[in-house]
Amino acid sequence: MIQKQKGVSLWRQISDRIRANIAAGLYDATDMLPAETALAQEFGVNRHTVRAALSALAQEGIVKASQGRGTMIERRDKFDFPIGRRTRFTEGIGDQARDLKGVLLASQTEAASVEVQKRLGLTAGETVLRLDGVRRADGRAVSRSTMWFPANRFAGIDEAFAESGSITKALARFGIDDYLRDFTEISAVHAEPDDVASLELTPGAIVLVTRALNTDTAGRPIQYAITRFPADRVQFTIRS
C-alpha cells in the first residue's frame, strides 16, 4: 500500500515503486505490467492515479501502452558504469554503446566555494573553472555534470572539452596523461528541474548523484565533480 506523504504525490510514489520493480526484474516473465485494475488494487489507489504514474513512466521511455495488450516494458537494460581507481566515462561505457558524446553546456571562471576549496586544496580567493556538461550514449542522456578545475592550472580546459567531448582528452592537452580517482560518494534523489530538462526525464524520476575527486599521479587534486545519472539508465559497479 502507498502511504500519503506530505509533499510527495501518490502518482510519483507509484511510478517510483513500479520503476524499482522493473529494475529488480519482477515483471520479466511477461515483459508486461499488471493491468491498471490490478495495480490500483495493489497500491490502494484509483485507476486515475495509476494512469498518471504510467504516463510519467511512458514519457521517460520505460513503458509503452500497447492497444489491446496493456502496458509493455520498453527498456530494462542499463549502462553499467564501473567506479574504481581509474574511472573514465568513455572507457567505462566501452562497447555498451556505439556512439558516445560529451556536450559542454556552459563554462565560467568563478571564486571557489568553501566546498570546492576544500576538495581541490585551494585557499580562499582562488578561482576555478566551472564546466557544466551532458554525456550521451547512443542518443540517450546518461549524465549531467558540474565540474571544477583550478583556474591557474587549467585555463582553457572548457574549450578543450568542447572540442573533444572528453575530459580525459581535455586533460591530456595539459600534460595529464593519467589520473586517479581519490573518492566517490553516491546518493539518490528525485530529479530537479535542471535534471528533467538536461536528462530528458519526468518530474519525480530518480537520479543517482556522485561527488568525486580526481588527482594527478602525484596526488594533487585536478578535478572535483558532481554528476547526476538517471537511475533507470545507469547502474554502478564498484571495483577495487
Side-chain angles (χ1 to χ4, degrees), residues 86-128:
R86 285 177 171 82
T87 299
R88 311 284 192 269
F89 177 78
T90 300
E91 294 178 12
I93 297 296
D95 59 5
Q96 300 176 68
R98 295 182 299 276
D99 179 35
L100 296 172
K101 182 185 299 184
V103 179
L104 179 67
L105 300 177
S107 66
Q108 65 182 48
T109 300
E110 62 185 23
S113 66
V114 173
E115 179 185 8
V116 173
Q117 285 178 33
K118 177 182 176 182
R119 300 301 195 186
L120 292 177
L122 304 176
T123 58
E126 288 194 74
T127 58
V128 290

Side-chain angles (χ1 to χ4, degrees), residues 22 60-63 73-77 140 232-233:
I22 291 173
E60 292 179 43
I62 297 174
V63 301
I73 299 171
E74 184 74 355
R75 185 179 70 237
R76 289 171 296 163
D77 293 338
R140 294 159 59 189
D232 68 295
R233 300 174 199 165

Side-chain angles (χ1 to χ4, degrees), residues 120 147-150 167 171 179 212-215 221-225:
L120 292 177
M147 302 163 278
W148 293 268
F149 302 84
I167 289 297
L171 287 170
Y179 57 95
L213 178 70
N214 287 324
T215 70
I222 59 173
Q223 177 197 19
Y224 176 57

Side-chain angles (χ1 to χ4, degrees), residues 14 36 39-40 43 45-55:
I14 292 170
E36 289 181 1
L39 289 172
F43 296 121
V45 297
N46 58 45
R47 291 180 64 181
H48 177 77
T49 303
V50 168
R51 287 193 189 117
L54 295 180
S55 176

Side-chain angles (χ1 to χ4, degrees), residues 129-152:
L129 266 171
R130 169 179 169 168
L131 279 61
D132 291 285
V134 169
R135 291 185 176 91
R136 307 182 72 86
D138 289 343
R140 294 159 59 189
V142 292
S143 72
R144 180 175 75 86
S145 298
T146 299
M147 302 163 278
W148 293 268
F149 302 84
N152 61 354

